[in-house]
Amino acid sequence: MDHGALSLLPPILALVMVIITRRVLLSLGVGIIVGALMVNQNEDMFVNEALSQVLAIVTGIFYVPGEGINTWEFYILLFLVILGIIAAFITMTGGSRAFGEWALSRVKTRVGAQFVSVFLGIIIFIDDYFNSLTVGNVSRPLTDRHRISRAKLAYLVDSTAASMCVIVPLSSWGAYIITLIGNDVLLENGVTEYGALQAFLMIAPMNFYALFAIAMVFAVAYYKLDFGPMRAHELRAIQTGEVYDKEKGPVPGESEDAQPVVSGRVGDLVWPIVTLIAATVFFMIVTGIQGTEGQTTLLATFENTDVAASLVYGGLVSLAVTFVTAIMRKVPAKQFGLGLWAGVKSMLPAIYILIFAWTIIEIIGELGTGAYLAEIVNNNMNLAFLPVVLFVIAGFMAFTTGTSWGTFGIMLPIAGEIAVQTDPTLLLPVLAAVLAGAIFGDHCSPISDTTILSSTGAGSHHTDHVNTQLPYALLVGVVTVAGFLVIGLTGSYMLALLASIVAFALIITILKLTVKPIEA
């Protein structure tokens, strides 16, 4: 059944409820039920059918009948549990405290602490899930000591993770996008002027949202541009030392039950994290080579890598190192059980949110929300405004569906076909506009898995992260609109980049004049 504009009802209802109630699970649950009822409204006993569908989706997250374990979602949840246990044991061995004290003696300022987090996010570009969780956990001891709010850390992590992954070809995102461009855009439309990798490398500099999201992070940290909901979190952190709102309960990824029981060393944190990074990258290469069927090029390897499995394998190796460290530090045996449960419990809020988010995303797919938005693009085109319209539509699609990859899959072929049939010179700009819009919507959406995992990695309440990041994402969205508007009107990349730079500089100047820095 074609639900048309009504297909937007469940995601928008859930998003509005999240903003009003700040209760993520309740809001997503309402959206899921409404969506399931809409999907099954023509069935006999449609209420029972709707509930059965929801149960089937939730069950499918863990197990697919006839196929076995659903490795992607299940492995992501398993990795969260492993990471929670690692974090709990690092805390128990005193590694987090030791690392915080060591880093505090070398990174003297709050700006420097934020820059460290951003640089880590830029360096670890291989996968957004891996980036969000790893950078957040590594940076947390340092940013806590400098009284930087967890909401601010989540913003730093989230804005660099996806933004880097979408412009670097040697990442899980890059490989996926290159494959889509090669098969569904260039090949389908008979474009032979350039190959998929070459097209991706030409598109990356046109992804104005990704570029200026990273630039905004540096500007916010350096000029202390804390405004909107972020200002309240930073004020509380600086004035009281409370880096998150404790009245809202414990945050994902951190357990109050895990406390230092021995005097630790910096290596107690460093070695498990280094092992996690090295082992995960190793297994990504191994699984990628196994999936290439003999075509062992670097790009083919990253295109076929099994990210979820690699995270679990790398996490298990890191967990083993963490246990050995705890034994060497003579952590009492009874603390091991407490540490295991503390780690699992710390990740339960994030796991619940992810399961609900994945469920509503499946329901939204059944309703055809993405297809409806794509139809709007096909029927309402003005070539001069094509890039900016595609940016807005892709952003809204990612915002309402919670998936940037799904937006890529739907919108890239449509954008490519429109450009080839109307004005081939706009092919690369419109593809860049889709990628930029998908990241923009992903950053704004409370049901995005990358947003959820950034909250988890940083140890922030999810609604706090969404509310504090939104104003910054919208400002970068304005900068991006300026760029795509100019490139559509003039066809010149350099003029479009100049327009974005001017818009960005103007916004930063206004913020510097109107936002008073919070002094420590």
Side-chain angles (χ1 to χ4, degrees):
M1 180 178 178
D2 183 8
H3 292 86
L6 286 177
S7 65
L8 298 174
L9 178 60
I12 290 179
L13 176 62
L15 295 169
V16 170
M17 284 192 64
V18 167
I19 295 171
I20 295 174
T21 67
R22 301 196 176 187
R23 298 177 64 180
V24 180
L25 296 181
L26 172 64
S27 304
L28 293 179
V30 171
I32 289 168
I33 296 301
V34 170
L37 291 173
M38 290 174 62
V39 170
N40 296 278
Q41 61 182 305
N42 290 333
E43 303 287 339
D44 294 331
M45 301 181 67
F46 72 97
V47 174
N48 290 339
E49 291 293 331
L51 294 177
S52 297
Q53 181 186 25
V54 172
L55 181 60
I57 292 172
V58 175
T59 304
I61 291 173
F62 301 96
Y63 181 82
V64 179
E67 298 182 16
I69 293 176
N70 185 350
T71 55
W72 178 259
E73 282 90 351
F74 179 72
Y75 279 1
I76 292 298
L77 298 181
L78 182 58
F79 176 69
L80 284 177
V81 172
I82 293 171
L83 189 64
I85 296 172
I86 292 172
F89 272 83
I90 288 175
T91 299
M92 289 168 54
T93 58
S96 295
R97 182 168 59 189
F99 180 79
E101 292 171 352
W102 175 85
L104 192 62
S105 66
R106 286 159 177 79
V107 182
K108 302 292 186 180
T109 65
R110 298 181 82 248
V111 173
Q114 293 173 72
F115 276 10
V116 168
S117 303
V118 175
F119 282 125
L120 284 173
I122 291 174
I123 293 169
I124 307 176
F125 56 76
I126 201 162
D127 180 72
D128 62 320
Y129 286 4
F130 184 46
N131 186 314
S132 299
L133 293 168
T134 304
V135 175
N137 275 276
V138 172
S139 302
R140 206 187 303 169
L142 174 60
T143 54
D144 283 358
R145 289 305 182 101
H146 280 283
R147 297 192 174 194
I148 296 168
S149 67
R150 296 288 180 79
K152 183 70 166 291
L153 176 59
Y155 162 65
L156 301 177
V157 169
D158 200 1
S159 291
T160 51
S163 299
M164 283 301 301
C165 290
V166 79
I167 61 176
V168 176
L170 296 180
S171 69
S172 57
W173 284 50
Y176 172 68
I177 293 167
I178 290 169
T179 303
L180 282 176
I181 291 174
N183 295 336
D184 298 338
V185 177
L186 302 183
L187 185 63
E188 286 292 324
N189 294 286
V191 178
T192 58
E193 185 178 348
Y194 28 65
L197 177 58
Q198 183 183 2
F200 180 88
L201 294 175
M202 296 169 70
I203 288 169
M206 300 182 192
N207 193 331
F208 301 125
Y209 182 83
L211 297 178
F212 285 96
I214 296 172
M216 177 64 83
V217 163
F218 280 106
V220 169
Y222 185 76
Y223 294 115
K224 305 174 183 177
L225 303 178
D226 302 308
F227 65 95
M230 184 73 80
R231 190 171 185 84
H233 288 270
E234 285 292 271
L235 272 171
R236 184 184 60 249
I238 290 174
Q239 294 175 356
T240 69
E242 293 185 2
V243 291
Y244 63 91
D245 189 352
K246 294 186 176 181
E247 293 183 359
K248 295 181 180 179
V251 294
E254 184 173 277
S255 175
E256 295 180 355
D257 297 333
Q259 299 296 332
V261 294
V262 293
S263 179
R265 301 177 183 176
V266 173
D268 297 342
L269 178 141
V270 172
W271 292 121
I273 297 299
V274 169
T275 302
L276 176 64
I277 295 171
T280 301
V281 172
F282 171 77
F283 285 114
M284 288 179 72
I285 294 172
V286 170
T287 57
I289 292 174
Q290 290 175 344
T292 57
E293 299 180 355
Q295 301 176 356
T296 53
T297 64
L298 195 57
L299 180 61
T301 298
F302 278 91
E303 178 184 335
N304 290 279
T305 189
D306 189 336
V307 175
S310 301
L311 287 172
V312 171
Y313 301 152
L316 289 173
V317 175
S318 177
L319 185 60
V321 172
T322 307
F323 283 165
V324 170
T325 301
I327 294 171
M328 292 175 60
R329 293 287 172 265
K330 298 181 179 180
V331 173
K334 66 178 182 179
Q335 295 292 333
F336 269 74
L338 294 175
L340 288 170
W341 173 237
V344 172
K345 189 169 68 171
S346 71
M347 286 298 180
L348 290 180
I351 290 172
Y352 297 151
I353 294 173
L354 268 178
I355 291 174
F356 273 62
W358 285 333
T359 303
I360 196 171
I361 286 170
E362 287 290 328
I363 296 293
I364 290 168
E366 291 283 336
L367 288 171
T369 304
Y372 168 71
L373 292 172
E375 185 180 347
I376 293 177
V377 176
N378 270 326
N379 296 335
N380 299 275
M381 282 295 102
N382 183 318
L383 288 184
F385 300 103
L386 181 59
V388 73
V389 168
L390 285 171
F391 169 74
V392 173
I393 294 293
F396 188 68
M397 184 182 295
F399 177 76
T400 53
T401 62
T403 168
S404 49
W405 281 40
T407 302
F408 297 155
I410 293 173
M411 292 299 299
L412 283 175
I414 291 172
E417 183 179 358
I418 293 172
V420 170
Q421 293 182 1
T422 54
D423 185 356
T425 62
L426 285 176
L427 176 60
L428 298 183
V430 298
L431 296 181
V434 169
L435 297 180
I439 301 302
F440 170 58
D442 192 87
H443 279 167
C444 297
S445 177
I447 63 174
S448 160
D449 47 6
T450 50
T451 305
I452 295 166
L453 293 177
S454 294
S455 306
T456 304
S460 167
H461 290 294
H462 182 55
T463 52
D464 290 341
H465 170 44
V466 174
N467 293 336
T468 53
Q469 178 166 267
L470 185 59
Y472 297 99
L474 290 174
L475 288 180
V476 179
V478 171
V479 173
T480 307
V481 165
F484 285 126
L485 189 59
V486 171
I487 206 169
L489 292 171
T490 67
S492 171
Y493 164 71
M494 293 307 298
L495 286 178
L497 180 61
L498 179 61
S500 293
I501 292 173
V502 170
F504 181 77
L506 182 61
I507 287 173
I508 297 302
T509 300
I510 293 173
L511 290 176
K512 286 170 62 178
L513 293 174
T514 56
V515 177
K516 183 179 179 181
I518 304 172
E519 299 297 337

